[in-house]
Amino acid sequence: MPSYTAPVRDLQFVLHDVLGIAESGLPGHEELDRDFTAAILEAAGQLASGMLAPLNRVGDREGCRLENGVVRTPEGFKAAFDQVREAGWTALDCDPEYGGQGMPYVLGLATGEIFVSANMAFNMYQGLTHGAYSAIHAHGTEAQKQAWLPKLVSCEWTGTMNLTEPHCGTDLGMLRTKAEPQPDGSYLITGQKIFISAGDHDLAENVVHLVLAKAPGGGEGTRGISLFIVPKVLVNGDGSLGARNAVSVGKLEEKMGIHGNATCVMNYDGARGWLLGDLHKGMRAMFTMMNEARVGVALQGYAVAEAAYQNAVSYAKDRLQGRAVTGAENPDGPADPIIVHPDVRRMLMDQKAFVEGARAFAAWGAQLIDRARHGDTEAEGLVSLLTPVAKGFLTDKGFEATVQAQQVFGGHGYIEEWGMSQFVRDARIAMIYEGANGIQALDLVGRKLAAEGGKPAMAFFEMVKGFIREHEGDAALKESVLDPLRAGSKDLQAAMMFFMERGMKSPNDALAGATDFLHLFGHVALGFMWARMAVAAQAGLNRGEDRAFHEAKLATARYYMARQLPATAIHLARIRSGGEVVMALPAEAF
């Protein structure tokens, strides 16, 4: 059975040595000293390894069941959910006014990584609830906040996001779910939604659905869409639960992975709901939840890869096969452990460099979100720009890393007994939901680059340039770390210039290169993170602290710069090839 240990030392390094969260100057962050965050992360790690990780395989094997209209979660999920909820983990970074603990988002992300690595399907129940909380917190009336948020914060009630319908996914302007206004100010919601994660279950006494629907007078397309709060069980005026609402589960989807999470077809048959935000402005309110969900999915990309990597390392150290080409390293045994072989080492280094770089990138993004919440407009622009990069790149590369981890096991990786197949199957969905990665690339190229006249993109470039200038005098890092980052950044700027010159004249030139641009941007972002980690590691060595840890960081930084970051040149060449070669073949020729 796979095992998992929370990477507390590495998380601490990112939070304190790289990001300096306690010295950020943001309100409340001064409390996040090393001892405090260590205590939080270690407690999360104990819960994750002791309870959640063992349930990961249980959830995969048992899945969820629909029995007489009630969704049953796998054995042990309810007890674990109660423990997570009662310990306050679901309230960690929520508003104290509604029962939250008021911790910064960056700490919520760090603990979230631990829970996702241990059991991705299980964590989705509370993760989606947090998204519903955020949407109501941002767009609800005070009465709605008082009615819904305390129970969502505590996860006594859970939340969902209902967008997709059988005939429309990305093109939400086509949705057919209707909302009929009632004299008391409520609406009756009628329609069907599909692919609803955590749509129903037995973990909480109520499920609060956020549902996109069309009310009269809204017109065609997305401009006519509104967002509604539609509970599974109606709530009385005193806050107690009342009658069952007219919403039901049509069926549970049979999926490739995340079997422990209930993915439901939801039927709304005149279910009572209440408008959230402005009428016919539902997309604005829903994007609050969608953007948070995309950050959460980006986290899933590298968190599952972390768990797979840990098990691949353990297996590579134990599995005896062949001899090192430079001479036996286990002379008393029948063979050497496979970690001595360069190709196995390559796979492990690819995984390590990705996971640790992705962790820093996600944590930096969470710190930017904290800054944006305190009024930093530049941080807000960067978050908007980087969200599709994080979602698309970290999930594409995260899936690739889980496949590499499976490959380390050879034939055993293909056998369910060893558990590596589950990591691969679970990781695959992250590339698809909350906006498939091709859509993330189109969003990045078609909208985010040009936002605010390109100001956020320019701010990112200036950050990278400024960092390189600041540390150019460090001879130990210049050639192996800073120069490759400079080259990658120039490739990214060249790609952006290509889009500016050709995009308006030939949109296919830009759109055909969108995914390559997203990956190019992702590599530069991780290169920037590795440069920052290298500087922090060198400083740690200069202070004489934890030599083995900091030397490993520097070696991994050099590996990423030498073996991964040069991919920017390939992506740039593909982008410059334009759209003609992509679109040349007529549809009937396929």
Side-chain angles (χ1 to χ4, degrees):
M1 178 184 291
S3 62
Y4 170 72
T5 302
V8 174
R9 176 68 183 89
D10 203 65
L11 283 162
Q12 287 283 84
F13 172 75
V14 169
L15 294 177
H16 296 286
D17 298 312
V18 179
L19 300 181
I21 58 171
E23 297 78 42
S24 67
L26 293 173
H29 285 233
E30 67 279 358
E31 301 174 4
L32 303 182
D33 60 35
R34 289 178 187 269
D35 290 342
F36 180 80
T37 57
I40 295 291
L41 297 175
E42 286 167 4
Q46 290 171 4
L47 178 62
S49 59
M51 176 174 282
L52 302 185
L55 285 175
N56 197 36
R57 195 174 186 191
V58 174
D60 186 54
R61 287 187 165 183
E62 289 188 11
C64 297
R65 310 181 310 279
L66 180 59
E67 298 177 346
N68 300 318
V70 178
V71 175
R72 304 294 183 189
T73 53
E75 182 71 26
F77 269 45
K78 179 67 165 65
F81 194 77
D82 287 344
Q83 185 166 332
V84 169
R85 182 176 59 76
E86 290 165 6
W89 291 108
T90 64
L92 191 68
D93 63 339
C94 295
D95 190 338
E97 186 173 344
Y98 306 103
Q101 299 175 36
M103 292 290 106
Y105 181 71
V106 69
L107 187 58
L109 179 128
T111 57
E113 178 198 321
I114 292 171
F115 293 142
V116 172
S117 289
N119 195 326
M120 174 177 163
F122 176 91
N123 192 71
M124 289 170 65
Y125 292 101
Q126 68 188 64
L128 287 157
T129 303
H130 193 287
Y133 152 84
S134 295
I136 297 173
H137 190 274
H139 301 284
T141 65
E142 188 53 42
Q144 287 175 330
K145 293 177 186 179
Q146 294 294 340
W148 304 107
L149 293 187
K151 298 287 190 180
L152 289 173
V153 167
S154 67
C155 269
E156 292 174 74
W157 301 346
T158 61
T160 72
M161 176 170 55
N162 283 236
L163 289 78
T164 306
E165 299 183 5
H167 58 282
C168 73
T170 301
D171 190 356
L172 289 171
M174 296 173 61
L175 70 80
R176 296 173 184 160
T177 300
K178 300 296 184 184
E180 300 176 18
Q182 302 301 298
D184 64 357
S186 67
Y187 289 77
L188 296 184
I189 311 299
T190 302
Q192 186 180 77
K193 300 290 184 177
I194 64 171
F195 304 156
I196 308 306
S197 299
D200 194 57
H201 52 79
D202 56 3
L203 304 181
E205 57 187 2
N206 203 1
V207 181
V208 181
H209 303 288
L210 297 191
V211 184
L212 286 179
K214 288 189 174 182
E220 297 299 318
T222 58
R223 294 180 181 178
I225 294 175
S226 301
L227 183 61
F228 299 90
I229 301 172
V230 188
K232 169 184 172 180
V233 181
L234 295 170
V235 180
N236 298 319
D238 62 0
S240 64
L241 294 179
R244 175 68 185 256
N245 206 355
V247 53
S248 61
V249 179
K251 73 168 185 173
L252 293 182
E253 301 289 3
E254 295 185 22
K255 311 184 297 292
M256 176 179 175
I258 55 168
H259 295 153
N261 193 268
T263 304
C264 303
V265 173
M266 304 299 302
N267 295 324
Y268 293 87
D269 299 305
R272 195 166 295 277
W274 289 265
L275 181 68
L276 176 61
D278 296 329
L279 187 64
H280 309 315
K281 305 287 185 183
M283 291 305 297
R284 177 174 174 268
M286 182 55 86
F287 265 113
T288 297
M289 188 171 185
M290 287 174 66
N291 286 333
E292 179 171 320
R294 285 169 178 170
V295 173
V297 173
L299 183 152
Q300 290 177 340
Y302 76 86
V304 175
E306 164 68 31
Y309 164 70
Q310 287 189 17
N311 286 276
V313 169
S314 178
Y315 184 84
K317 290 179 177 179
D318 290 341
R319 176 68 168 172
L320 303 181
Q321 291 282 283
R323 291 293 187 188
V325 293
T326 53
E329 296 195 17
N330 180 34
D332 296 330
D336 290 334
I338 63 173
I339 199 168
V340 306
H341 304 306
D343 196 58
V344 173
R345 196 70 66 89
R346 171 193 62 81
M347 290 189 286
L348 294 176
M349 285 299 294
D350 280 350
Q351 295 165 61
K352 180 179 176 66
F354 163 71
V355 168
E356 294 178 11
R359 174 176 296 123
F361 181 34
W364 178 52
Q367 187 180 49
L368 289 173
I369 289 173
D370 281 327
R371 290 188 181 279
R373 288 177 176 177
H374 287 91
D376 187 327
T377 55
E378 180 177 281
E380 186 175 1
L382 281 168
V383 168
S384 180
L385 172 70
L386 295 173
T387 294
V389 179
K391 195 282 181 184
F393 186 71
L394 298 191
T395 59
D396 277 350
K397 302 301 285 188
F399 176 71
E400 183 180 304
T402 63
V403 172
Q404 281 190 318
Q406 183 188 40
Q407 186 74 12
V408 169
F409 280 72
H412 292 295
Y414 201 65
I415 302 300
E416 292 293 340
E417 175 187 352
W418 290 82
M420 301 308 290
S421 170
Q422 184 187 351
F423 292 132
V424 173
R425 290 184 285 104
D426 286 354
R428 184 64 183 90
I429 186 57
M431 302 161 70
I432 298 172
Y433 61 11
E434 305 310 339
N437 286 355
I439 299 298
Q440 301 301 319
L442 297 180
D443 179 47
L444 175 64
V445 170
R447 296 175 56 213
K448 299 301 174 62
L449 282 183
E452 301 179 49
K455 186 177 177 182
M458 292 301 105
F460 177 81
F461 289 135
E462 285 305 314
M463 250 181 222
V464 174
K465 289 178 185 176
F467 182 87
I468 292 171
R469 284 195 299 268
E470 181 182 355
H471 298 284
E472 253 181 335
D474 191 334
L477 298 178
K478 184 179 184 304
E479 185 176 346
S480 61
V481 174
L482 299 177
D483 287 349
L485 176 59
R486 179 186 286 109
S489 181
K490 286 182 178 179
D491 286 343
L492 182 60
Q493 292 174 70
M496 186 172 174
M497 288 300 298
F498 176 85
F499 289 151
M500 291 174 64
E501 293 169 0
R502 303 277 291 275
M504 294 300 292
K505 300 174 185 175
S506 177
N508 280 343
D509 282 350
L511 300 184
T515 291
D516 278 292
F517 185 81
L518 185 147
H519 277 244
L520 201 168
F521 206 142
H523 275 299
V524 174
L526 260 64
F528 182 34
M529 292 302 102
W530 270 115
R532 293 180 66 174
M533 287 191 283
V535 167
Q538 189 63 57
L541 283 178
N542 294 342
R543 294 190 300 268
E545 299 171 357
D546 204 346
R547 177 163 293 276
F549 177 88
H550 290 119
E551 286 181 343
K553 277 289 177 215
L554 287 168
T556 310
R558 290 190 291 268
Y559 181 89
Y560 191 86
M561 298 302 188
R563 300 277 304 205
Q564 295 294 322
L565 194 54
T568 60
I570 298 173
H571 290 302
L572 177 59
R574 290 174 178 165
I575 290 166
R576 283 175 167 166
S577 73
E580 186 175 345
V581 293
V582 175
M583 304 300 293
L585 200 61
E588 59 270 18
F590 283 91

